[in-house]
Amino acid sequence: MTLRLFDTASREVRDFVPLRPGTASVYLCGATVQGVPHIGHVRSGIAFDVLRRWLEYRGHDVLFIRNVTDIDDKILRKADEAGRPWWEWAATHEREFTRAYDALGVLPPSAEPRATGFVTQMVEYMERLIDRGHAYVADGNVYFDVRSLPDYGQLSGHKLDDLHQGESAGTGKRDPHDFTLWKAAKPGEPSWPTPWGPGRPGWHLECSAMATSLLGAEFDIHCGGMDLVFPHHENEIAQSRGAGDGFARYWLHNGWVTMSGEKMSKSLGNVVSIPAMMTKVRPVELRYYLGSAHYRSMLEYSDAALHEAAAGYRRIESFVNRVADRVGDVEVGEVTDEFAVALDDDIGVPAALATVHNAVREGNTALESGDGAKALAIAGAIRAMSAILGTDPLDERWAASTASDEAATAALDVLIGAELDRRATARAAKDWAVADEVRDRLAAAGVDVTDTPDGAQWALTTKGN
């Protein structure tokens, strides 16, 4: 069997043939750390975590890069509105994203580069583009000349004259279709020195520099949300090809999480934060829900759909636990052929999950008929398949998440919420002594409080943190 993936660039399902046999190099556009993560933000992390796990299961040594955009117009604007340093704002929300990924069992990337750590590489990239006639300097800005690249628009399929880059106004552009590689310094904004004057990087340039610096001039797979196809990924291709790099050989894009048919986003005000979601269901159930649809499909969010998915996961969990209680230890077995066929077909998780649930029904029948050996073998296969999906019920990450834990978390949320309300009232009245007293008491109890634009969020700390 051969893994086949839908490549956005060619608009067809292609056999996956890695650049180097036995190794798969993957770059995922990660978070722009402007605020608290919601379920729309982390869907790509979960979807491509499954891809990574399947590549590893198939014997590939996976080099998986997930970047952090820590300098951006939105970060600067929101930090300024909150009266906080931009770097502190970015670092605070980067930690929130890390907590969310960890809570949902997303494997840590091989490396997680921050844009601000690759400015030198970005300057070198621009020098190459200027030397090759694909970029120009104007008033301290550096722009990419899109008409210098004949196949610009190939990824998105858009015609050049119909495109709009959606950029804030700059000066010196020769053509409104050109996009910004480097933004000249503005008063009060962070900047870095370059041969063309101080400034800061454009969003598209950041990813080209980070991806090629860590994975090489050509690598296997570039992933991200479908909203990034244009302009972000189109411009990444333009920069990289203009600089002489082969760049990504396959392009994979995941669908949005929607509410009422609209993309979940801060601007629509319909966000569902990860901390809030984990008061509704356990982390493993949330992961199961977010990963249950095909990665290229839209996932329409509703509380009913979330709880239906959680119930589906509990049926898998219940069977595996009953086998462990009645028969003995359930070791991880091998995935079924049907499961493998499903994932080899463009990471077909819905078909793979159908295989898991069919196995649960067969296993329950075996268990009730007294065929413990068959039930044990099926449970082992279910563990193997669930592990690929990141939801193995007996994984130590999830095993401690019991009904009593849910009740305890719900109770804590009520008690801690009351304390946070008291603290918010004190802060509004500028009674800093009471506000600090509440925070210190919660810290002493092992509760970490983070102030965010969406209100105070709490999490239990662990020893050593």
Side-chain angles (χ1 to χ4, degrees):
M1 291 181 286
T2 299
L3 173 61
R4 292 172 58 78
L5 299 171
F6 182 84
D7 174 28
T8 305
S10 64
R11 296 167 183 76
E12 63 181 6
V13 177
R14 299 169 50 205
D15 288 354
F16 175 64
V17 180
L19 191 63
R20 289 187 293 154
T23 300
S25 46
V26 183
Y27 184 88
L28 170 61
C29 276
T32 297
V33 287
Q34 59 172 304
V36 176
H38 59 65
I39 57 177
H41 289 134
V42 300
R43 187 186 180 195
S44 67
I46 292 171
F48 297 119
D49 185 58
V50 175
L51 168 67
R52 175 185 182 177
R53 290 168 184 260
W54 187 240
L55 286 168
E56 290 177 347
Y57 184 86
R58 283 299 197 197
H60 296 283
D61 179 15
V62 180
L63 302 176
F64 193 95
I65 308 300
R66 185 184 68 215
N67 79 293
V68 174
T69 297
D70 61 344
I71 182 71
D72 175 84
D73 289 345
K74 294 176 182 178
I75 293 171
L76 297 180
R77 183 177 68 252
K78 292 188 176 184
D80 182 63
E81 290 170 353
R84 291 160 65 180
W86 68 270
W87 51 265
E88 185 266 349
W89 184 268
T92 296
H93 293 100
E94 181 182 341
R95 288 192 295 272
E96 289 296 315
F97 271 87
T98 299
R99 284 193 185 114
Y101 288 133
D102 289 346
L104 296 174
V106 176
L107 296 172
S110 307
E112 194 167 21
R114 297 182 183 91
T116 53
F118 282 75
V119 173
T120 298
Q121 291 87 340
M122 295 179 206
V123 172
E124 292 173 348
Y125 225 85
M126 287 186 286
E127 289 174 333
R128 289 164 60 191
L129 288 168
I130 292 170
D131 290 344
R132 293 169 67 95
H134 294 293
Y136 58 94
V137 182
D139 301 331
N141 302 295
V142 183
Y143 298 110
F144 187 93
D145 178 1
V146 296
R147 295 190 188 277
S148 71
L149 206 67
D151 60 354
Y152 183 83
Q154 183 179 33
L155 180 69
S156 61
H158 295 322
K159 294 181 179 179
L160 178 58
D161 290 335
D162 296 335
L163 299 180
H164 188 280
Q165 294 290 348
E167 295 183 344
S168 56
T171 59
K173 273 192 183 183
R174 297 174 184 171
D175 187 315
H177 299 101
D178 294 345
F179 62 87
T180 306
L181 299 170
W182 190 259
K183 300 182 179 186
K186 295 179 181 178
E189 288 190 352
S191 64
W192 288 261
T194 75
W196 317 287
R200 60 184 175 88
W203 177 33
H204 316 304
L205 177 65
E206 296 173 352
C207 282
S208 288
M210 287 185 282
T212 55
S213 294
L214 296 174
L215 295 178
E218 186 175 14
F219 56 93
D220 292 314
I221 302 172
H222 195 310
C223 306
M226 63 180 293
D227 53 321
L228 302 181
V229 173
F230 184 87
H232 187 46
H233 289 167
E234 191 75 75
N235 290 348
E236 280 188 57
I237 291 176
Q239 292 161 165
S240 304
R241 299 284 171 79
D245 293 337
F247 211 54
R249 302 172 75 238
Y250 299 81
W251 288 86
L252 274 61
H253 291 94
N254 65 277
W256 298 331
V257 178
T258 59
M259 292 180 70
S260 303
E262 295 185 274
K263 178 193 172 189
M264 188 170 292
S265 67
K266 291 277 186 186
S267 61
L268 292 175
N270 58 5
V271 300
V272 183
S273 73
I274 299 301
M277 293 294 288
M278 289 193 293
T279 65
K280 299 182 179 184
V281 293
R282 293 178 296 162
V284 65
E285 293 167 346
L286 179 56
R287 168 161 184 144
Y288 178 91
Y289 168 65
L290 292 174
S292 59
H294 192 281
Y295 76 92
R296 289 195 284 120
S297 301
M298 299 298 183
L299 179 64
E300 175 72 9
Y301 173 78
S302 70
D303 279 351
L306 172 65
H307 289 290
E308 181 180 350
Y313 174 76
R314 287 195 293 271
R315 287 192 290 272
I316 299 170
E317 179 184 47
S318 175
F319 166 68
V320 174
N321 284 333
R322 287 196 302 128
V323 172
D325 290 341
R326 293 189 192 183
V327 183
D329 291 343
V330 180
E331 300 295 332
V332 177
E334 295 293 330
V335 306
T336 67
D337 289 344
E338 293 82 3
F339 182 90
V341 167
L343 285 196
D344 276 338
D345 183 12
D346 194 30
I347 313 299
V349 169
L353 274 176
T355 297
V356 173
H357 284 286
N358 288 338
V360 168
R361 286 190 284 272
E362 184 182 358
N364 277 323
T365 299
L367 193 61
E368 295 310 314
S369 69
D371 192 344
K374 182 177 181 180
L376 190 63
I378 292 173
I382 288 173
R383 282 201 67 189
M385 293 184 285
S386 296
I388 300 298
L389 304 177
T391 57
D392 174 9
L394 297 186
D395 186 305
E396 61 181 12
R397 173 184 294 277
W398 312 125
S401 184
T402 63
S404 61
D405 293 326
E406 293 181 72
T409 299
L412 279 174
D413 193 49
V414 172
L415 296 173
I416 295 171
E419 286 292 280
L420 292 177
D421 288 343
R422 180 171 172 240
R423 176 171 173 263
T425 301
R427 290 179 58 158
K430 300 189 183 303
D431 188 346
W432 308 118
V434 170
D436 290 344
E437 174 198 342
V438 171
R439 183 167 191 142
D440 291 346
R441 183 164 59 252
L442 290 173
V447 178
D448 180 44
V449 176
T450 301
D451 292 309
T452 79
D454 304 307
Q457 306 282 348
W458 67 270
L460 297 177
T461 58
T462 56
K463 292 181 179 180
N465 286 352

mmCIF file with all atom_site columns, all heavy atoms in Angstrom, residues 149-166:
data_model
loop_
_atom_site.group_PDB
_atom_site.id
_atom_site.type_symbol
_atom_site.label_atom_id
_atom_site.label_alt_id
_atom_site.label_comp_id
_atom_site.label_asym_id
_atom_site.label_entity_id
_atom_site.label_seq_id
_atom_site.pdbx_PDB_ins_code
_atom_site.Cartn_x
_atom_site.Cartn_y
_atom_site.Cartn_z
_atom_site.occupancy
_atom_site.B_iso_or_equiv
_atom_site.pdbx_formal_charge
_atom_site.auth_seq_id
_atom_site.auth_comp_id
_atom_site.auth_asym_id
_atom_site.auth_atom_id
_atom_site.pdbx_PDB_model_num
ATOM 1   N N   . LEU A 1 149 ? 7.582  36.826 -11.994 1.00 0.00 ? 149 LEU A N   1
ATOM 2   C CA  . LEU A 1 149 ? 7.457  35.372 -11.897 1.00 0.00 ? 149 LEU A CA  1
ATOM 3   C C   . LEU A 1 149 ? 6.272  34.942 -12.753 1.00 0.00 ? 149 LEU A C   1
ATOM 4   O O   . LEU A 1 149 ? 5.117  35.152 -12.371 1.00 0.00 ? 149 LEU A O   1
ATOM 5   C CB  . LEU A 1 149 ? 7.253  34.958 -10.431 1.00 0.00 ? 149 LEU A CB  1
ATOM 6   C CG  . LEU A 1 149 ? 7.691  33.558 -10.033 1.00 0.00 ? 149 LEU A CG  1
ATOM 7   C CD1 . LEU A 1 149 ? 9.203  33.432 -10.118 1.00 0.00 ? 149 LEU A CD1 1
ATOM 8   C CD2 . LEU A 1 149 ? 7.213  33.227 -8.638  1.00 0.00 ? 149 LEU A CD2 1
ATOM 9   N N   . PRO A 1 150 ? 6.504  34.347 -13.928 1.00 0.00 ? 150 PRO A N   1
ATOM 10  C CA  . PRO A 1 150 ? 5.414  34.061 -14.871 1.00 0.00 ? 150 PRO A CA  1
ATOM 11  C C   . PRO A 1 150 ? 4.299  33.184 -14.311 1.00 0.00 ? 150 PRO A C   1
ATOM 12  O O   . PRO A 1 150 ? 3.142  33.338 -14.711 1.00 0.00 ? 150 PRO A O   1
ATOM 13  C CB  . PRO A 1 150 ? 6.135  33.355 -16.032 1.00 0.00 ? 150 PRO A CB  1
ATOM 14  C CG  . PRO A 1 150 ? 7.547  33.837 -15.944 1.00 0.00 ? 150 PRO A CG  1
ATOM 15  C CD  . PRO A 1 150 ? 7.829  34.005 -14.476 1.00 0.00 ? 150 PRO A CD  1
ATOM 16  N N   . ASP A 1 151 ? 4.618  32.247 -13.407 1.00 0.00 ? 151 ASP A N   1
ATOM 17  C CA  . ASP A 1 151 ? 3.578  31.330 -12.933 1.00 0.00 ? 151 ASP A CA  1
ATOM 18  C C   . ASP A 1 151 ? 2.997  31.746 -11.582 1.00 0.00 ? 151 ASP A C   1
ATOM 19  O O   . ASP A 1 151 ? 2.413  30.935 -10.865 1.00 0.00 ? 151 ASP A O   1
ATOM 20  C CB  . ASP A 1 151 ? 4.112  29.901 -12.854 1.00 0.00 ? 151 ASP A CB  1
ATOM 21  C CG  . ASP A 1 151 ? 5.303  29.761 -11.915 1.00 0.00 ? 151 ASP A CG  1
ATOM 22  O OD1 . ASP A 1 151 ? 5.787  30.792 -11.404 1.00 0.00 ? 151 ASP A OD1 1
ATOM 23  O OD2 . ASP A 1 151 ? 5.751  28.617 -11.690 1.00 0.00 ? 151 ASP A OD2 1
ATOM 24  N N   . TYR A 1 152 ? 3.129  33.048 -11.228 1.00 0.00 ? 152 TYR A N   1
ATOM 25  C CA  . TYR A 1 152 ? 2.528  33.519 -9.980  1.00 0.00 ? 152 TYR A CA  1
ATOM 26  C C   . TYR A 1 152 ? 1.014  33.293 -10.014 1.00 0.00 ? 152 TYR A C   1
ATOM 27  O O   . TYR A 1 152 ? 0.354  33.615 -11.000 1.00 0.00 ? 152 TYR A O   1
ATOM 28  C CB  . TYR A 1 152 ? 2.827  35.004 -9.755  1.00 0.00 ? 152 TYR A CB  1
ATOM 29  C CG  . TYR A 1 152 ? 2.285  35.530 -8.441  1.00 0.00 ? 152 TYR A CG  1
ATOM 30  C CD1 . TYR A 1 152 ? 3.003  35.357 -7.264  1.00 0.00 ? 152 TYR A CD1 1
ATOM 31  C CD2 . TYR A 1 152 ? 1.051  36.154 -8.369  1.00 0.00 ? 152 TYR A CD2 1
ATOM 32  C CE1 . TYR A 1 152 ? 2.508  35.809 -6.053  1.00 0.00 ? 152 TYR A CE1 1
ATOM 33  C CE2 . TYR A 1 152 ? 0.548  36.614 -7.162  1.00 0.00 ? 152 TYR A CE2 1
ATOM 34  C CZ  . TYR A 1 152 ? 1.278  36.438 -6.010  1.00 0.00 ? 152 TYR A CZ  1
ATOM 35  O OH  . TYR A 1 152 ? 0.775  36.878 -4.806  1.00 0.00 ? 152 TYR A OH  1
ATOM 36  N N   . GLY A 1 153 ? 0.469  32.729 -8.935  1.00 0.00 ? 153 GLY A N   1
ATOM 37  C CA  . GLY A 1 153 ? -0.947 32.401 -8.867  1.00 0.00 ? 153 GLY A CA  1
ATOM 38  C C   . GLY A 1 153 ? -1.236 30.937 -9.123  1.00 0.00 ? 153 GLY A C   1
ATOM 39  O O   . GLY A 1 153 ? -2.395 30.508 -9.096  1.00 0.00 ? 153 GLY A O   1
ATOM 40  N N   . GLN A 1 154 ? -0.194 30.143 -9.333  1.00 0.00 ? 154 GLN A N   1
ATOM 41  C CA  . GLN A 1 154 ? -0.380 28.737 -9.697  1.00 0.00 ? 154 GLN A CA  1
ATOM 42  C C   . GLN A 1 154 ? -1.035 27.938 -8.571  1.00 0.00 ? 154 GLN A C   1
ATOM 43  O O   . GLN A 1 154 ? -1.891 27.090 -8.821  1.00 0.00 ? 154 GLN A O   1
ATOM 44  C CB  . GLN A 1 154 ? 0.981  28.121 -10.051 1.00 0.00 ? 154 GLN A CB  1
ATOM 45  C CG  . GLN A 1 154 ? 0.899  26.671 -10.512 1.00 0.00 ? 154 GLN A CG  1
ATOM 46  C CD  . GLN A 1 154 ? 2.283  26.117 -10.872 1.00 0.00 ? 154 GLN A CD  1
ATOM 47  O OE1 . GLN A 1 154 ? 3.273  26.505 -10.266 1.00 0.00 ? 154 GLN A OE1 1
ATOM 48  N NE2 . GLN A 1 154 ? 2.323  25.245 -11.850 1.00 0.00 ? 154 GLN A NE2 1
ATOM 49  N N   . LEU A 1 155 ? -0.666 28.199 -7.320  1.00 0.00 ? 155 LEU A N   1
ATOM 50  C CA  . LEU A 1 155 ? -1.206 27.427 -6.201  1.00 0.00 ? 155 LEU A CA  1
ATOM 51  C C   . LEU A 1 155 ? -2.696 27.703 -6.010  1.00 0.00 ? 155 LEU A C   1
ATOM 52  O O   . LEU A 1 155 ? -3.501 26.780 -5.895  1.00 0.00 ? 155 LEU A O   1
ATOM 53  C CB  . LEU A 1 155 ? -0.453 27.752 -4.911  1.00 0.00 ? 155 LEU A CB  1
ATOM 54  C CG  . LEU A 1 155 ? -0.938 27.005 -3.664  1.00 0.00 ? 155 LEU A CG  1
ATOM 55  C CD1 . LEU A 1 155 ? -0.595 25.530 -3.764  1.00 0.00 ? 155 LEU A CD1 1
ATOM 56  C CD2 . LEU A 1 155 ? -0.339 27.614 -2.391  1.00 0.00 ? 155 LEU A CD2 1
ATOM 57  N N   . SER A 1 156 ? -3.062 28.976 -5.986  1.00 0.00 ? 156 SER A N   1
ATOM 58  C CA  . SER A 1 156 ? -4.452 29.355 -5.715  1.00 0.00 ? 156 SER A CA  1
ATOM 59  C C   . SER A 1 156 ? -5.338 29.283 -6.949  1.00 0.00 ? 156 SER A C   1
ATOM 60  O O   . SER A 1 156 ? -6.571 29.203 -6.827  1.00 0.00 ? 156 SER A O   1
ATOM 61  C CB  . SER A 1 156 ? -4.493 30.779 -5.152  1.00 0.00 ? 156 SER A CB  1
ATOM 62  O OG  . SER A 1 156 ? -3.962 31.707 -6.082  1.00 0.00 ? 156 SER A OG  1
ATOM 63  N N   . GLY A 1 157 ? -4.731 29.337 -8.125  1.00 0.00 ? 157 GLY A N   1
ATOM 64  C CA  . GLY A 1 157 ? -5.515 29.321 -9.350  1.00 0.00 ? 157 GLY A CA  1
ATOM 65  C C   . GLY A 1 157 ? -6.113 30.663 -9.707  1.00 0.00 ? 157 GLY A C   1
ATOM 66  O O   . GLY A 1 157 ? -6.917 30.757 -10.637 1.00 0.00 ? 157 GLY A O   1
ATOM 67  N N   . HIS A 1 158 ? -5.695 31.720 -8.992  1.00 0.00 ? 158 HIS A N   1
ATOM 68  C CA  . HIS A 1 158 ? -6.230 33.052 -9.267  1.00 0.00 ? 158 HIS A CA  1
ATOM 69  C C   . HIS A 1 158 ? -5.455 33.726 -10.399 1.00 0.00 ? 158 HIS A C   1
ATOM 70  O O   . HIS A 1 158 ? -4.263 33.490 -10.573 1.00 0.00 ? 158 HIS A O   1
ATOM 71  C CB  . HIS A 1 158 ? -6.145 33.934 -8.020  1.00 0.00 ? 158 HIS A CB  1
ATOM 72  C CG  . HIS A 1 158 ? -7.005 33.459 -6.888  1.00 0.00 ? 158 HIS A CG  1
ATOM 73  N ND1 . HIS A 1 158 ? -8.248 32.922 -7.057  1.00 0.00 ? 158 HIS A ND1 1
ATOM 74  C CD2 . HIS A 1 158 ? -6.786 33.450 -5.538  1.00 0.00 ? 158 HIS A CD2 1
ATOM 75  C CE1 . HIS A 1 158 ? -8.770 32.604 -5.892  1.00 0.00 ? 158 HIS A CE1 1
ATOM 76  N NE2 . HIS A 1 158 ? -7.899 32.916 -4.956  1.00 0.00 ? 158 HIS A NE2 1
ATOM 77  N N   . LYS A 1 159 ? -6.137 34.602 -11.115 1.00 0.00 ? 159 LYS A N   1
ATOM 78  C CA  . LYS A 1 159 ? -5.474 35.421 -12.124 1.00 0.00 ? 159 LYS A CA  1
ATOM 79  C C   . LYS A 1 159 ? -4.908 36.669 -11.450 1.00 0.00 ? 159 LYS A C   1
ATOM 80  O O   . LYS A 1 159 ? -5.545 37.272 -10.593 1.00 0.00 ? 159 LYS A O   1
ATOM 81  C CB  . LYS A 1 159 ? -6.460 35.815 -13.229 1.00 0.00 ? 159 LYS A CB  1
ATOM 82  C CG  . LYS A 1 159 ? -6.951 34.629 -14.056 1.00 0.00 ? 159 LYS A CG  1
ATOM 83  C CD  . LYS A 1 159 ? -7.899 35.084 -15.154 1.00 0.00 ? 159 LYS A CD  1
ATOM 84  C CE  . LYS A 1 159 ? -8.364 33.896 -15.996 1.00 0.00 ? 159 LYS A CE  1
ATOM 85  N NZ  . LYS A 1 159 ? -9.308 34.309 -17.064 1.00 0.00 ? 159 LYS A NZ  1
ATOM 86  N N   . LEU A 1 160 ? -3.719 37.043 -11.867 1.00 0.00 ? 160 LEU A N   1
ATOM 87  C CA  . LEU A 1 160 ? -3.003 38.123 -11.209 1.00 0.00 ? 160 LEU A CA  1
ATOM 88  C C   . LEU A 1 160 ? -3.820 39.403 -11.125 1.00 0.00 ? 160 LEU A C   1
ATOM 89  O O   . LEU A 1 160 ? -3.898 40.043 -10.068 1.00 0.00 ? 160 LEU A O   1
ATOM 90  C CB  . LEU A 1 160 ? -1.678 38.392 -11.935 1.00 0.00 ? 160 LEU A CB  1
ATOM 91  C CG  . LEU A 1 160 ? -0.824 39.535 -11.391 1.00 0.00 ? 160 LEU A CG  1
ATOM 92  C CD1 . LEU A 1 160 ? -0.479 39.303 -9.933  1.00 0.00 ? 160 LEU A CD1 1
ATOM 93  C CD2 . LEU A 1 160 ? 0.444  39.682 -12.221 1.00 0.00 ? 160 LEU A CD2 1
ATOM 94  N N   . ASP A 1 161 ? -4.451 39.797 -12.200 1.00 0.00 ? 161 ASP A N   1
ATOM 95  C CA  . ASP A 1 161 ? -5.148 41.087 -12.206 1.00 0.00 ? 161 ASP A CA  1
ATOM 96  C C   . ASP A 1 161 ? -6.394 41.086 -11.327 1.00 0.00 ? 161 ASP A C   1
ATOM 97  O O   . ASP A 1 161 ? -6.967 42.144 -11.053 1.00 0.00 ? 161 ASP A O   1
ATOM 98  C CB  . ASP A 1 161 ? -5.527 41.482 -13.637 1.00 0.00 ? 161 ASP A CB  1
ATOM 99  C CG  . ASP A 1 161 ? -4.297 41.857 -14.469 1.00 0.00 ? 161 ASP A CG  1
ATOM 100 O OD1 . ASP A 1 161 ? -3.289 42.267 -13.866 1.00 0.00 ? 161 ASP A OD1 1
ATOM 101 O OD2 . ASP A 1 161 ? -4.351 41.705 -15.701 1.00 0.00 ? 161 ASP A OD2 1
ATOM 102 N N   . ASP A 1 162 ? -6.815 39.900 -10.866 1.00 0.00 ? 162 ASP A N   1
ATOM 103 C CA  . ASP A 1 162 ? -7.993 39.814 -9.987  1.00 0.00 ? 162 ASP A CA  1
ATOM 104 C C   . ASP A 1 162 ? -7.605 39.782 -8.510  1.00 0.00 ? 162 ASP A C   1
ATOM 105 O O   . ASP A 1 162 ? -8.482 39.715 -7.644  1.00 0.00 ? 162 ASP A O   1
ATOM 106 C CB  . ASP A 1 162 ? -8.806 38.550 -10.311 1.00 0.00 ? 162 ASP A CB  1
ATOM 107 C CG  . ASP A 1 162 ? -9.393 38.579 -11.710 1.00 0.00 ? 162 ASP A CG  1
ATOM 108 O OD1 . ASP A 1 162 ? -9.591 39.693 -12.229 1.00 0.00 ? 162 ASP A OD1 1
ATOM 109 O OD2 . ASP A 1 162 ? -9.629 37.501 -12.278 1.00 0.00 ? 162 ASP A OD2 1
ATOM 110 N N   . LEU A 1 163 ? -6.312 39.817 -8.223  1.00 0.00 ? 163 LEU A N   1
ATOM 111 C CA  . LEU A 1 163 ? -5.850 39.604 -6.847  1.00 0.00 ? 163 LEU A CA  1
ATOM 112 C C   . LEU A 1 163 ? -5.653 40.908 -6.098  1.00 0.00 ? 163 LEU A C   1
ATOM 113 O O   . LEU A 1 163 ? -5.324 41.942 -6.670  1.00 0.00 ? 163 LEU A O   1
ATOM 114 C CB  . LEU A 1 163 ? -4.531 38.829 -6.861  1.00 0.00 ? 163 LEU A CB  1
ATOM 115 C CG  . LEU A 1 163 ? -4.574 37.440 -7.498  1.00 0.00 ? 163 LEU A CG  1
ATOM 116 C CD1 . LEU A 1 163 ? -3.200 36.796 -7.431  1.00 0.00 ? 163 LEU A CD1 1
ATOM 117 C CD2 . LEU A 1 163 ? -5.601 36.566 -6.798  1.00 0.00 ? 163 LEU A CD2 1
ATOM 118 N N   . HIS A 1 164 ? -5.820 40.809 -4.784  1.00 0.00 ? 164 HIS A N   1
ATOM 119 C CA  . HIS A 1 164 ? -5.515 41.920 -3.883  1.00 0.00 ? 164 HIS A CA  1
ATOM 120 C C   . HIS A 1 164 ? -4.771 41.341 -2.694  1.00 0.00 ? 164 HIS A C   1
ATOM 121 O O   . HIS A 1 164 ? -5.252 40.401 -2.051  1.00 0.00 ? 164 HIS A O   1
ATOM 122 C CB  . HIS A 1 164 ? -6.802 42.619 -3.438  1.00 0.00 ? 164 HIS A CB  1
ATOM 123 C CG  . HIS A 1 164 ? -6.547 43.884 -2.654  1.00 0.00 ? 164 HIS A CG  1
ATOM 124 N ND1 . HIS A 1 164 ? -6.205 43.868 -1.318  1.00 0.00 ? 164 HIS A ND1 1
ATOM 125 C CD2 . HIS A 1 164 ? -6.567 45.189 -3.026  1.00 0.00 ? 164 HIS A CD2 1
ATOM 126 C CE1 . HIS A 1 164 ? -6.033 45.113 -0.889  1.00 0.00 ? 164 HIS A CE1 1
ATOM 127 N NE2 . HIS A 1 164 ? -6.241 45.930 -1.918  1.00 0.00 ? 164 HIS A NE2 1
ATOM 128 N N   . GLN A 1 165 ? -3.607 41.890 -2.389  1.00 0.00 ? 165 GLN A N   1
ATOM 129 C CA  . GLN A 1 165 ? -2.767 41.312 -1.344  1.00 0.00 ? 165 GLN A CA  1
ATOM 130 C C   . GLN A 1 165 ? -3.324 41.528 0.061   1.00 0.00 ? 165 GLN A C   1
ATOM 131 O O   . GLN A 1 165 ? -2.925 40.852 1.000   1.00 0.00 ? 165 GLN A O   1
ATOM 132 C CB  . GLN A 1 165 ? -1.351 41.905 -1.424  1.00 0.00 ? 165 GLN A CB  1
ATOM 133 C CG  . GLN A 1 165 ? -0.586 41.538 -2.681  1.00 0.00 ? 165 GLN A CG  1
ATOM 134 C CD  . GLN A 1 165 ? -0.188 40.067 -2.728  1.00 0.00 ? 165 GLN A CD  1
ATOM 135 O OE1 . GLN A 1 165 ? -0.284 39.350 -1.733  1.00 0.00 ? 165 GLN A OE1 1
ATOM 136 N NE2 . GLN A 1 165 ? 0.232  39.610 -3.895  1.00 0.00 ? 165 GLN A NE2 1
ATOM 137 N N   . GLY A 1 166 ? -4.232 42.491 0.226   1.00 0.00 ? 166 GLY A N   1
ATOM 138 C CA  . GLY A 1 166 ? -4.812 42.727 1.541   1.00 0.00 ? 166 GLY A CA  1
ATOM 139 C C   . GLY A 1 166 ? -3.850 43.337 2.534   1.00 0.00 ? 166 GLY A C   1
ATOM 140 O O   . GLY A 1 166 ? -4.006 43.169 3.744   1.00 0.00 ? 166 GLY A O   1
#
